[in-house]
């Protein structure tokens, strides 16, 4: 199995069930310095109403565990978005959402993931002080997430981001150019934002690697993960590539609220892919060479401040 196939399975557009995405049971979700006392932090919703495959496959458990350890009150719920419903939460997390069950179709067409009323309710909730974390992915999920991203002034590429210069070249397999590196050395990581700086000593973010994903453009937002001029949008999942992008991580204010939008979701998991022959490919918060666990915590902290 070549690396592109493994990445396809890992990055949320895996329409083959030949490999298995599994939570890494060795992942340590504990938090040394919790931001809130146990059960006293903000209420946090993880959306399960829109065929969010990360939730449906149980891969949101590490995020729930980390948030709980940090004092938040996370819940997974499948209610549609309304003003009254969203008012129960300080933070809403939308993992890659689709208009149909994960794996049942190869392409997103004109089907709706979120109703217009839901998108309006979500935007109004953020505008009035809510905090939203939007996690997208490469094709075809980028297309299904486009309407809600557009509502917040963000454009998404369609395809997968590829960069032959700024990628993890330690993976000696075809397709490693989709493992994008953002760090101090290549200057693509914004180290001056509160999310990457952290609130206390030892919380700074120094290195991030994304696992494929889409590209984002939002002129009104700050980029955390800036795409280099050598990046390209390439074909994925039978869909012709389209659009351009400047970033894989955008943050900013929306009225009285806050938004974090990422083109890749896998950093918010702690999983591995069974590759066969006893081999595993690890992705997410448990990969110590990448600072995803601290990035997750810092993101929640910024959204809750």
């Amino acid at each position: 199995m070549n690396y592109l196939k493994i990445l396809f399975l890992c990055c949320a557009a895996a329409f083959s069930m030949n490999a298995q995405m599994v939570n890494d049971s060795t992942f340590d979700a504990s938090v040394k310095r919790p931001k809130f006392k146990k059960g006293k932090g903000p209420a946090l919703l993880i959306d399960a109403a829109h065929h969010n495959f990360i939730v449906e496959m149980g891969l949101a458990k590490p995020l729930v565990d980390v948030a709980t350890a940090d004092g938040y009150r996370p819940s997974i719920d499948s209610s549609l978005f309304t003003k009254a419903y969203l008012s129960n939460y300080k933070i809403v997390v939308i993992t890659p959402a689709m208009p149909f069950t994960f794996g049942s179709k190869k392409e997103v067409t004109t089907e709706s993931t979120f109703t217009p009323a839901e998108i309006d309710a979500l935007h109004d909730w953020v505008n009035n002080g809510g905090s939203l974390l939007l996690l997208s992915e490469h094709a075809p999920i980028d297309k299904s997430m486009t309407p809600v991203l557009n509502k917040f002034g963000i454009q998404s590429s369609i395809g997968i981001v590829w960069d032959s210069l700024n990628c993890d070249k330690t993976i000696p397999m075809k397709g490693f150019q989709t493992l994008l590196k953002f760090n101090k050395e290549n200057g693509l990581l914004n180290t001056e934002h509160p999310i990457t700086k952290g609130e206390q000593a030892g919380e700074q973010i120094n290195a991030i690697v994304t696992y494929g994903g889409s590209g984002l453009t939002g002129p009104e937002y700050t980029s955390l993960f800036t795409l280099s001029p050598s990046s390209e949008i390439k074909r994925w999942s039978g869909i012709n590539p389209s659009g351009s992008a400047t970033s894989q991580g955008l943050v900013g204010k929306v009225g009285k609220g806050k938004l974090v939008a990422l083109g890749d979701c896998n950093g918010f998991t702690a999983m591995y892919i069974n590759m066969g022959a006893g081999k595993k490919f690890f992705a997410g918060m448990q990969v110590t060479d990448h600072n995803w666990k601290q990035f997750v915590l810092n993101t929640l902290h910024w959204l809750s401040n």
Side-chain angles (χ1 to χ4, degrees), residues 57-286:
M57 291 186 173
L59 299 174
K61 183 180 185 301
L63 175 58
V64 171
D65 291 346
V66 168
T68 300
D70 207 29
Y72 292 88
R73 295 178 288 123
S75 60
I76 296 174
D77 193 75
S78 57
S79 297
L80 298 182
F81 298 152
T82 65
K83 178 180 179 180
Y85 174 63
L86 293 171
S87 67
N88 296 308
Y89 300 98
K90 169 60 179 175
I91 300 173
V92 170
V93 179
I94 301 178
T95 61
M98 304 185 74
F100 47 75
T101 302
F102 175 81
S104 63
K105 298 180 183 180
K106 292 184 177 180
E107 297 185 22
V108 175
T109 55
T110 58
E111 297 164 279
S112 176
T113 303
F114 305 90
T115 68
E118 283 187 286
I119 294 175
D120 287 343
L122 188 65
H123 186 272
D124 289 346
W125 172 78
V126 176
N127 194 54
N128 289 319
S131 292
L132 176 62
L133 172 60
L134 275 174
L135 303 177
S136 190
E137 261 302 337
H138 56 60
I141 290 176
D142 45 19
K143 188 172 182 179
S144 70
M145 296 288 287
T146 290
V148 70
L149 287 166
N150 287 172
K151 184 68 174 182
F152 288 91
I154 298 173
Q155 301 296 319
S156 175
S157 64
I158 305 298
I160 190 169
V161 184
W162 186 287
D163 191 336
S164 60
L165 298 182
N166 298 283
C167 58
D168 190 344
K169 299 176 183 179
T170 63
I171 305 295
M173 297 181 185
K174 182 180 179 181
F176 63 83
Q177 295 94 335
T178 55
L179 287 180
L180 307 186
K181 296 172 67 175
F182 302 91
N183 52 46
K184 291 183 177 180
E185 287 70 27
N186 63 18
L188 301 179
L189 175 69
N190 180 347
T191 59
E192 296 303 315
H193 191 272
I195 289 178
T196 51
K197 292 176 71 173
E199 295 181 328
Q200 303 182 55
E203 294 182 351
Q204 67 273 14
I205 306 301
N206 298 309
I208 288 289
V209 169
T210 60
Y211 306 88
S214 62
L216 306 173
T217 302
E220 301 301 317
Y221 295 87
T222 298
S223 176
L224 296 185
F225 309 151
T226 299
L227 293 173
S228 75
S230 58
S231 65
E232 304 174 72
I233 308 300
K234 292 199 173 187
R235 182 186 178 103
W236 198 257
S237 185
I239 297 176
N240 288 328
S242 64
S244 60
T246 61
S247 178
Q248 275 205 309
L250 297 175
V251 298
K253 299 287 187 65
V254 178
K256 298 178 181 178
K258 295 180 178 181
L259 172 67
V260 175
L262 303 182
D264 173 61
C265 75
N266 294 284
F268 281 72
T269 71
M271 66 179 176
Y272 63 84
I273 308 295
N274 282 317
M275 298 167 56
K279 296 181 179 180
K280 298 177 180 178
F281 174 78
F282 292 88
M285 290 185 279
Q286 84 283 39

